[in-house]
Amino acid sequence: MAYTINVNGTSRTVDVEADTPLLWVLRDTLDLKGAKYGCGMGLCGACTVHINGTPTRSCITPISMVGDAQITTIEAIGETEVGRRVQQAWLELDVMQCGYCQAGQIMAATALLASNPKPTDQDIDDAMSGNLCRCATYTRIRAAIKHAAGIAHSEPTET
Amino acid sequence: MTREHALLESAPDTAAGNTVSRRAFLAASAAAGGGLMLHLTVPGTAFAVPSKSGPGAELNAYIRIAPDGIVTIAAKNPEMGQGTKTTLPMLIAEELDVDWKNVRVEMAPVDMQKYGPQFAGGSFSTPMNWDPLRRAGAAGRQMLVTAAAQTWGVSPSECETSAGVVRHKPTGRTLKYGELAARAAKLPVPDLRTVSLKDPKDFRIIGKFTGGVDSPAIVQGKPMFGIDVTVPGMRYAVFQKCPVFGGKVVSANLDEIQSLPGVRKAFIVRANDAAAHGITNVDRLQEGVAIVADSWWAANKALQKLKVKWDEGEAVNQSTAAFEKRAAELFREAPQKTVHKEGDVDAALASAAKVLEATYSYPFIAHAPMEPQNCTAQVRDGKVEIWAPTQFPANGRTLVAKTLGVDESDVTVHMVRCGGGFGRRLSNDYMVEAAWIAREAGEPVKLIWTRQQDIQHGFFRPGGFHHFKAGLDANGKLVGFRDHFVSFSGADGDFANSANITATEQPARLIPNVEFVASLMPLNLPTGPLRAPASNALAFAFQSFFDELAHAAGRDPLEFLLELAGEPRVIPPPEGANRFMPVPGFDTGRMRGVLELVAEKSDWANRKSLPKGTGKGIAFYYSHLGYFAEVVQATVNPKTGFVKVDKVWVAGDVGSHIINPAGGINQVQGAALDGISEALGQAITIERGRVVQSNFHDFPLLRMNQAPPVEVHFRITPNPPTGLGEPALPPAVPALCNAIFAATGKRVRKLPIDPAELRSA
Ligand code: FES
Ligand code: FES
């Protein structure tokens, strides 16, 4: 079935089955490989994209539910001011190890800072605990969020 | 076109204590367009690499200096987040003396004949490459200096380098490396043994916080992982094996599956009798049903409708409960074998003032790297091409060749960034599956395992059981120690992979009377290395029991460990320790050093002033040549028994340099949290031969709200640098359990930690 969806500001028409999760439409139909498959059950956050600015698990979002909502993926997050700052903070703290979870982490962190420019540790816990990092880069994710928000932290950064 | 070569044999490092000897081979040639290419091979000592290192070896363009001054360095080892793709080129760039911003890093092709061993495991990359890569860089620098000196008609000794420029000191003339590359390519290659290395105080790259070379692409979501690979005409595949290991397909509803939308083909893959080729259980192609479809989603949907009648075989009778029952029986019987014996433990226990006994156990664990197993394969005209996230690509290449019955030279493996490894991708089972399915399908396929398949069809960190008996003298000093280890046996009847114990386990060789005996249970389930193999389990059991002993003796656990270390001295490595490279002895002074450092940083002396329900625990562990002492502070909720880890302090000694503090500290923090993640919730349990767990709801990983701050301190000592991928993990587990004891008075003797056991209200 044909669906026209709005991805990163562009209207795209895809012909897929109604129950196809947005994740696989993005990855395999539209060749946007940034969102990752981690669990397929909404448990890990590797597939996080923004739908109308809200961080959403694309692996459990069927294409038929998307409608004309604005979808933003990691590929375009740097076009927003907050997203760009978050990416920059991720680089300055060199947050990633394997990097596989980090697209999802950046999407979740950007959504957090867009709605809450000065998050507390508790806010960070609440916003980020759905995003698993098997490499356990949590110390730096927390610090990078603070870095992007201009809040003091004690992790080393690139000088 | 090769000018000359230099062989480096047994080059002693200038730093004290380096007995590491290596043979590295360097050659030079001209690159098209006037550049310089350096070809380097760093063989491993015990790798059966059919390498022709030395004159006549195939050239590999390890380092290329282009006329525009851009230096391209090959990354020969897989990258899975451990950071070698950044760290190893830093070593070359430092001694070559170029600006890091002018360095590009390219993934090398898989060809061990050209590059020497190519793998990521055992934290070996740093110790194996620290010396030869720096020497290669220094040799390149020397050639560029000579080229400049010849251009000017001056002595090389009057020249200096800095950031890719040679300067003639008396006249101030300068030439850029790019301008010199063509001339340098015609020069003989200096002897690697005698090239002069920088004084470490002049390092400008080593020791500097350096972001990962792939990081900019990662934050933009660029395709770079195995799962992101696309090749023209590619289909998507899923593969379902029997839920019971080694089970066989009797029949399957293939016709129904093939009629589903998007499905192109469904077929049975028969188990390959690869044992005949010497292929291990883990890697061997297992029996199952493959579904090839136009999209992965279509393949996965068809998988939900797949009905297979399995012949489950023998393994169906296995269960965690049965293993536990059998282990308890074996503890009452005489041990089957002695692994290590020194002194007279019976006599020591008989004369001890106090004797303690305790039983510890830990479960099987899966690796669950964030990127599920996947591989893209294409078989065309007898040639096989593979794109795979793998820690051991060359092994995969051999495996694919043997299983498909083709020549190894007809198999090309492309290394792709791994979304985590942790040891799981040292075996290439998914690679051989993809190759087989692609051949049967007659089209290129990308095989992606579901998370459930990843958790249920891995090879596992083996569970284990220890019955300890130890004696303390009247001063509370440990005088005798026995471990009866109930573990698992593999196909050959000996310890299953990573289920073993060796004579390096403390307190062996630290006190006079020690005995490690073992009894093995047969296991029909693959086991293998998980980050810090064997150590990740043994550290928990042994270092927790040491804490018990310290408390039983009424002593400070730190002081007890320091006494165990004894006077600073070097204990030579046991026989057979030099499997991959010559290893140095165990330095008790370095053990003492990290214990004292972590105690200071964590304010250990004042731990008694913590509020009720909060406690600090300490543990030490030596693995992968790294010395790590860690303190964990934890708070236990008396009503729920839930454990909150407040903070972790780590003191590590990996030698004279932290090559890249960015990646290095990240590895240490991640490893410590990985250990805590394992301790708090991870277990693979077996029922009716099946793995019970299936996804992150029942195989939990640590989450942000559970992750404590991890403070990392390095003790810099004059020893050659060693790796950081693993050694910070093992002590985190017992340090946490010892903290729980300090907080509650309850001893964790079984992992994962069970909150129900910790309630006090
Ligand atoms: S893949 Fe979507 S939450 Fe894990
Ligand atoms: S960086 Fe590897 S899973 Fe997060």
Side-chain angles (χ1 to χ4, degrees):
Chain A
M1 203 181 145
Y3 294 89
T4 299
I5 57 173
N6 190 315
V7 182
N8 297 332
T10 309
S11 164
R12 310 284 300 260
T13 301
V14 295
D15 188 8
V16 295
E17 292 208 38
D19 63 354
T20 309
L22 176 59
L23 172 67
W24 298 104
V25 174
L26 292 171
R27 288 185 57 84
D28 292 345
T29 312
L30 299 177
D31 199 28
L32 290 168
K33 299 284 200 283
K36 295 290 189 266
Y37 167 63
C39 68
M41 288 177 65
L43 300 165
C44 76
C47 63
T48 305
V49 299
H50 291 181
I51 297 188
N52 289 336
T54 305
T56 305
R57 307 290 182 246
S58 65
C59 71
I60 48 170
T61 306
I63 188 74
S64 57
M65 305 280 286
V66 172
D68 59 0
Q70 304 281 335
I71 299 159
T72 309
T73 69
I74 185 74
E75 284 87 350
I77 201 67
E79 289 162 23
T80 70
E81 198 273 322
V82 179
R84 196 193 48 73
R85 255 196 292 136
V86 169
Q87 286 174 325
Q88 193 55 35
W90 247 246
L91 292 176
E92 282 170 19
L93 273 86
D94 198 39
V95 169
M96 38 260 131
Q97 288 188 27
C98 81
Y100 193 78
C101 73
Q102 300 294 348
Q105 306 283 1
I106 288 170
M107 295 308 282
T110 303
L112 167 65
L113 291 180
S115 65
N116 179 356
K118 298 280 173 201
T120 62
D121 277 315
Q122 185 63 49
D123 295 338
I124 293 174
D125 281 352
D126 293 347
M128 302 301 296
S129 289
N131 286 77
L132 290 175
C133 175
R134 172 65 179 88
C135 303
T137 60
Y138 298 116
T139 325
R140 285 200 187 172
I141 293 172
R142 182 185 300 280
I145 291 172
K146 293 182 180 177
H147 198 69
I151 302 169
H153 63 85
S154 58
E155 288 301 306
T157 58
E158 200 156 15
T159 43
Chain B
M1 88 187 227
T2 308
R3 288 293 146 195
E4 208 157 298
H5 68 275
L7 281 171
L8 169 63
E9 296 206 42
S10 302
D13 195 275
T14 43
N18 185 6
T19 55
V20 179
S21 69
R22 302 184 187 88
R23 288 166 58 247
F25 165 67
L26 187 71
S29 66
L36 165 65
M37 289 202 284
L38 292 171
H39 313 270
L40 174 70
T41 311
V42 182
T45 41
F47 273 84
V49 181
S51 123
K52 292 180 287 180
S53 67
E58 286 186 79
L59 303 182
N60 59 18
Y62 207 106
I63 307 167
R64 300 198 305 273
I65 302 173
D68 62 0
I70 294 295
V71 180
T72 306
I73 299 176
K76 79 177 167 89
N77 286 349
E79 175 62 53
M80 54 181 173
Q82 85 282 31
T84 51
K85 191 174 175 184
T86 306
T87 314
L88 298 186
M90 284 170 73
L91 299 176
I92 293 171
E94 178 68 69
E95 291 291 345
L96 192 56
D97 208 12
V98 291
D99 243 350
W100 181 247
K101 69 172 174 6
N102 290 330
V103 173
R104 308 285 177 269
V105 180
E106 267 176 18
M107 214 67 213
V110 178
D111 188 339
M112 302 221 292
Q113 291 205 11
K114 284 191 187 176
Y115 287 90
Q118 293 180 284
F119 76 112
S123 296
F124 278 115
S125 287
T126 300
M128 282 171 79
N129 292 289
W130 165 251
D131 188 67
L133 291 195
R134 283 184 310 132
R135 284 179 189 277
R141 176 183 164 278
Q142 191 173 319
M143 291 166 76
L144 292 156
V145 167
T146 305
Q150 286 180 0
T151 307
W152 294 320
V154 302
S155 157
S157 64
E158 291 175 1
C159 301
E160 64 181 11
T161 60
S162 147
V165 176
V166 184
R167 183 171 164 275
H168 182 229
K169 286 186 276 188
T171 60
R173 282 176 292 180
T174 60
L175 278 168
K176 293 184 182 140
Y177 283 8
E179 300 168 309
L180 295 164
R183 182 161 196 156
K186 300 198 182 80
L187 296 173
V189 175
D191 187 335
L192 287 182
R193 279 170 299 198
T194 57
V195 289
S196 55
L197 295 170
K198 279 187 179 176
D199 183 332
K201 75 171 169 31
D202 297 328
F203 284 168
R204 297 180 317 118
I205 296 173
I206 292 174
K208 192 165 178 285
F209 189 101
T210 306
V213 292
D214 286 338
S215 296
I218 289 170
V219 301
Q220 295 174 61
K222 296 256 169 75
M224 57 196 320
F225 295 94
I227 206 169
D228 302 336
V229 169
T230 306
V231 301
M234 181 182 89
R235 308 291 172 192
Y236 298 82
V238 293
F239 183 53
Q240 184 59 51
K241 286 168 286 205
C242 182
V244 178
F245 181 72
K248 302 217 180 329
V249 182
V250 177
S251 60
N253 58 339
L254 297 178
D255 292 339
E256 185 190 341
I257 296 298
Q258 295 201 104
S259 70
L260 294 171
V263 174
R264 302 188 74 89
K265 214 169 178 181
F267 51 90
I268 293 168
V269 174
R270 289 294 170 196
N272 180 266
D273 187 22
H277 305 298
I279 295 172
T280 64
N281 245 2
V282 185
D283 276 342
R284 197 180 71 204
L285 186 62
Q286 300 289 325
E287 215 155 300
V289 176
I291 303 172
V292 179
D294 290 334
S295 71
W296 190 77
W297 181 248
N300 182 52
K301 250 179 92 176
L303 179 64
Q304 312 312 314
K305 296 233 167 71
L306 177 68
K307 291 192 191 73
V308 186
K309 187 162 183 270
W310 301 102
D311 168 2
E312 296 180 343
E314 299 269 296
V316 73
N317 297 319
Q318 296 186 136
S319 72
T320 298
F323 290 141
E324 286 175 353
K325 186 162 166 277
R326 181 69 187 133
E329 287 166 10
L330 286 169
F331 281 141
R332 291 193 291 271
E333 297 171 14
Q336 296 164 357
K337 59 157 90 191
T338 298
V339 180
H340 177 70
K341 185 172 165 49
E342 54 191 314
D344 185 341
V345 175
D346 285 328
L349 293 178
S351 63
K354 200 166 197 171
V355 173
L356 236 69
E357 286 186 71
T359 302
Y360 282 79
S361 68
Y362 42 83
F364 288 81
I365 298 185
H367 299 72
M370 210 68 224
E371 179 191 23
Q373 313 312 333
N374 66 86
C375 177
T376 302
Q378 170 172 301
V379 184
R380 193 169 283 165
D381 308 326
K383 307 258 188 230
V384 187
E385 200 165 356
I386 303 275
W387 294 260
T390 170
Q391 291 177 245
F392 204 168
N395 209 27
R397 186 170 170 232
T398 309
L399 177 69
V400 167
K402 282 181 174 169
T403 309
L404 268 58
V406 299
D407 207 80
E408 220 172 292
S409 59
D410 287 330
V411 181
T412 305
V413 176
H414 303 276
M415 278 192 273
V416 197
R417 190 179 178 89
C418 307
F422 313 103
R424 176 61 183 87
R425 298 193 222 266
L426 286 166
S427 92
N428 291 288
D429 40 350
Y430 49 95
M431 192 193 288
V432 75
E433 288 170 2
W436 190 279
I437 293 167
R439 185 173 69 178
E440 294 300 297
E443 299 180 286
V445 298
K446 173 153 70 179
L447 169 72
I448 305 176
W449 288 23
T450 64
R451 174 59 65 192
Q452 177 169 351
Q453 292 172 335
D454 169 62
I455 286 181
Q456 300 186 336
H457 296 277
F459 61 86
F460 302 97
R461 187 288 295 273
F465 308 83
H466 297 262
H467 184 81
F468 295 123
K469 192 167 185 180
L472 300 161
D473 70 11
N475 297 319
K477 187 177 163 127
L478 183 61
V479 291
F481 190 100
R482 175 179 287 121
D483 173 27
H484 184 178
F485 180 20
V486 172
S487 186
F488 295 96
S489 57
D492 63 357
D494 203 350
F495 284 108
N497 190 337
S498 303
N500 60 323
I501 185 169
T502 70
T504 55
E505 197 61 39
Q506 296 185 350
R509 308 184 305 151
L510 292 176
I511 65 165
N513 308 298
V514 178
E515 207 173 277
F516 299 154
V517 294
S519 301
L520 305 184
M521 302 186 271
L523 180 68
N524 199 344
L525 194 69
T527 63
L530 168 72
R531 192 181 201 175
S535 306
N536 58 37
L538 297 174
F540 155 68
F542 281 76
Q543 302 288 324
S544 296
F545 189 55
F546 291 170
D547 195 71
E548 272 199 69
L549 288 164
H551 284 283
R555 298 177 62 188
D556 172 358
L558 166 67
E559 186 216 329
F560 188 83
L561 293 174
L562 288 171
E563 181 180 84
L564 207 52
E567 286 309 303
R569 66 198 184 282
V570 175
I571 303 172
E575 299 238 338
N578 298 340
R579 203 153 59 92
F580 292 101
M581 51 172 281
V583 301
F586 177 79
D587 185 337
T588 58
R590 296 175 75 182
M591 172 177 173
R592 297 185 69 93
V594 291
L595 278 165
E596 281 159 1
L597 181 60
V598 82
E600 176 205 321
K601 296 294 179 185
S602 66
D603 196 18
W604 176 256
N606 288 319
R607 68 194 180 286
K608 293 271 161 59
S609 61
L610 290 169
K612 192 168 181 298
T614 297
K616 276 189 179 132
I618 190 168
F620 166 83
Y621 207 76
Y622 171 70
S623 67
H624 304 274
L625 310 180
Y627 297 74
F628 278 81
E630 301 181 15
V631 167
V632 169
Q633 180 181 312
T635 300
V636 181
N637 182 315
K639 287 206 181 57
T640 61
F642 283 133
V643 176
K644 182 175 168 296
V645 183
D646 303 317
K647 185 159 179 178
V648 182
W649 292 262
V650 180
D653 176 354
V654 289
S656 59
H657 292 86
I658 304 305
I659 298 167
N660 182 5
I665 295 170
N666 213 340
Q667 284 301 311
V668 171
Q669 290 174 325
L673 294 181
D674 199 355
I676 285 167
S677 183
E678 289 174 2
L680 286 179
Q682 292 173 15
I684 289 293
T685 47
I686 315 289
E687 276 174 26
R688 290 196 306 123
R690 293 156 165 78
V691 170
V692 173
Q693 291 72 20
S694 62
N695 209 317
F696 296 126
H697 60 292
D698 52 10
F699 191 78
L701 304 184
L702 198 77
R703 291 179 181 273
M704 175 64 92
N705 58 349
Q706 301 170 293
V710 183
E711 202 177 287
V712 180
H713 301 275
F714 291 111
R715 186 167 177 268
I716 300 301
T717 58
N719 296 286
T722 55
L724 282 169
E726 298 170 275
L729 190 155
V733 183
L736 170 59
C737 296
N738 296 343
I740 290 170
F741 179 79
T744 63
K746 293 184 192 334
R747 182 60 66 183
V748 176
R749 294 200 187 88
K750 183 178 183 186
L751 290 182
I753 294 162
D754 180 2
E757 301 278 325
L758 302 177
R759 285 175 205 147
S760 56

